[in-house]
Amino acid sequence: MNWIILIIAGLFEVAFASCLGKVKETSGTTMYLWFGGFLVSLTISMLLLIKATQTLPIGTAYAVWTGIGAVGTVLMGIFFFKDPVSFWRIFFIITLVGSIIGLKAVSSH
């Protein structure tokens, strides 16, 4: 169950990073709404990470959380913010996903 909580926490990390990207692109009331989304997503992500680390090793949980956030944020950047795509970016995203799966596989919990 805590692995599911950790995955959800990672998805909220993607959400707060994406909101931060939208804050940069907007102004006025819209900017403040995106900033509010950032704060809500950040809070939920951190609370879920804390919950997950109550039973999972902190090193593994943090690495998986940041990995999910990194991969998700790169993909959001590519699909929604028109970030550049190259062979090497995709290659290293795939190696990061493999590392996350490897950490889950060798975790004793």
Side-chain angles (χ1 to χ4, degrees):
M1 181 64 180
N2 281 318
W3 282 104
I4 294 169
I5 291 171
L6 183 62
I7 291 167
I8 295 169
L11 295 175
F12 274 99
E13 183 183 3
V14 174
F16 78 68
S18 299
C19 286
L20 196 58
K22 293 301 279 184
V23 165
K24 185 176 77 170
E25 295 179 351
T26 57
S27 63
T29 304
T30 306
M31 179 190 71
Y32 290 113
L33 290 172
W34 282 111
F35 187 71
F38 164 78
L39 291 175
V40 169
S41 299
L42 177 66
T43 302
I44 293 170
S45 183
M46 292 296 157
L47 291 173
L48 291 174
L49 178 62
I50 290 167
K51 175 70 176 156
T53 58
Q54 290 175 346
T55 58
L56 299 173
I58 186 70
T60 300
Y62 184 74
V64 169
W65 178 75
T66 57
I68 291 168
V71 169
T73 302
V74 168
L75 293 176
M76 286 291 288
I78 290 170
F79 292 116
F80 295 103
F81 295 105
K82 308 298 183 225
D83 287 353
V85 180
S86 70
F87 168 80
W88 289 112
R89 286 189 88 187
I90 301 302
F91 173 79
F92 286 115
I93 290 171
I94 291 169
T95 60
L96 184 55
V97 169
S99 297
I100 293 167
I101 293 168
L103 282 171
K104 166 72 171 93
V106 301
S107 176
S108 60
H109 294 307

